[in-house]
Amino acid sequence: MPISERATPPPPPSVPPRVLTVAGSDSGGGAGIQADLKTMLAFGVHGMSVLTAVTAQNSLGVHGAWELPVEAVRAQYRAVVDDIGVQAVKTGMLSSAELVAAVAELLTGTGAPVVVDPVGVSKHGDPLLAASALDGVRTRLLPAATVATPNLDEVAQLTGVRVEDETGLRRAAGAVLEFGPRWALIKGGHLPGDAVDLLTDGVEEHWLRAPRHDNRHTHGTGCTYASAIASGLARGQGVVEAVRAAKEYVTGAIARGFALGAGIGPVDHGWRLR
């Protein structure tokens, strides 16, 4: 039975759906845990967190990163899931093979839909995933995913497939699906022209298009997109509906991204509230 069909029953109406993010901290507030929790609030769900790493970063890049011990990650996860429960889980920065293995094991026994954002590099090009962890992402983490959300750089890192144009998205999706996620969302934002993504389970195909906004302040886009999908799944939406709603939200957030510091600013997670 698919993981999403074994999910924890929806909570009473007075309690919002609960979503857990397992990811690193961004001290600049634009990506990582901080972006995830802001996105979850925007979607009306209760966000919870398992911190996997602390980074020192700002608009110019990542200046340092410190991974938390596996036992600290496992303890955070168990504390939340065993007492509060979850309706969806989103994973982000898992920098080492040990963390990937531990989180994959935890996800397998949770019984909730999982959105895997296989974070490989930061917006500034800083590496966030050890080469030794790639095999674990392929063989342990992706098989636990209800939806995997790689961008084109992450597709190349995981599969060796390099996408040069829109027609290559289908080939990329097929390569990712071979590792076992139920759905693959291949994000084509790095291609020229409209921002085109392909969502597929290998049978159905859904092409999601949005105009490209002339805005360089896009820090946190991937985290935001994945968290928005997880929020929709927690609210009881199907995968296609959740991804379409997330695409609309992240497009608006990119359009209203703003400058912070001297480099790349964040997307605006609160754009619907302004």
Side-chain angles (χ1 to χ4, degrees), residues 8-265:
T8 306
S14 59
V15 178
R18 292 146 288 171
V19 183
L20 178 63
T21 170
V22 183
S25 169
D26 173 3
S27 55
I33 289 280
Q34 288 81 352
D36 297 340
L37 295 177
K38 293 172 188 177
T39 301
M40 292 169 189
L41 181 62
F43 275 80
V45 302
H46 177 67
M48 304 170 294
S49 62
V50 170
L51 198 64
T52 61
V54 175
T55 69
Q57 63 178 292
N58 54 25
S59 68
L60 298 174
V62 178
H63 300 273
W66 298 266
E67 181 180 303
L68 268 69
V70 168
E71 56 266 31
V73 171
R74 187 178 288 113
Q76 291 175 82
Y77 193 99
R78 291 265 60 96
V80 171
V81 173
D82 293 347
D83 174 49
I84 301 172
V86 295
Q87 274 69 57
V89 182
K90 175 261 179 184
T91 71
M93 178 183 175
L94 303 174
S95 53
S96 70
E98 293 76 16
L99 274 181
V100 168
V103 171
E105 180 181 1
L106 290 165
L107 293 173
T108 301
T110 298
V114 176
V115 179
V116 171
D117 183 17
V119 176
V121 296
S122 76
K123 183 66 68 178
H124 306 88
D126 303 292
L128 298 175
L129 180 68
S132 60
L134 288 173
D135 189 59
V137 173
R138 297 182 188 107
T139 62
R140 303 194 65 172
L141 193 62
L142 289 177
T146 307
V147 187
T149 66
N151 62 30
L152 298 186
D153 289 338
E154 291 155 356
V155 166
Q157 189 179 37
L158 290 167
T159 71
V161 173
R162 299 194 177 277
V163 177
E164 305 295 338
D165 53 37
E166 187 176 314
T167 61
L169 294 177
R170 184 178 286 115
R171 185 163 56 96
V176 172
L177 286 171
E178 287 185 4
F179 294 120
R182 287 185 57 211
W183 292 81
L185 175 66
I186 309 300
K187 299 176 295 190
H190 293 170
L191 297 175
D194 287 347
V196 180
D197 306 328
L198 172 61
L199 172 69
T200 180
D201 63 353
V203 178
E204 297 181 34
E205 283 189 355
H206 302 271
W207 294 84
L208 298 93
R209 300 178 182 274
R212 183 175 300 278
H213 296 286
D214 185 18
N215 185 354
R216 68 189 292 261
H217 301 301
T218 56
H219 184 51
T221 303
C223 305
T224 300
Y225 204 167
S227 294
I229 296 168
S231 297
L233 295 176
R235 293 172 63 89
Q237 295 177 339
V239 169
V240 176
E241 183 182 6
V243 172
R244 288 193 183 280
K247 175 73 169 179
E248 179 183 354
Y249 171 76
V250 77
T251 300
I254 292 170
R256 292 161 178 81
F258 51 87
L260 283 181
I264 299 173

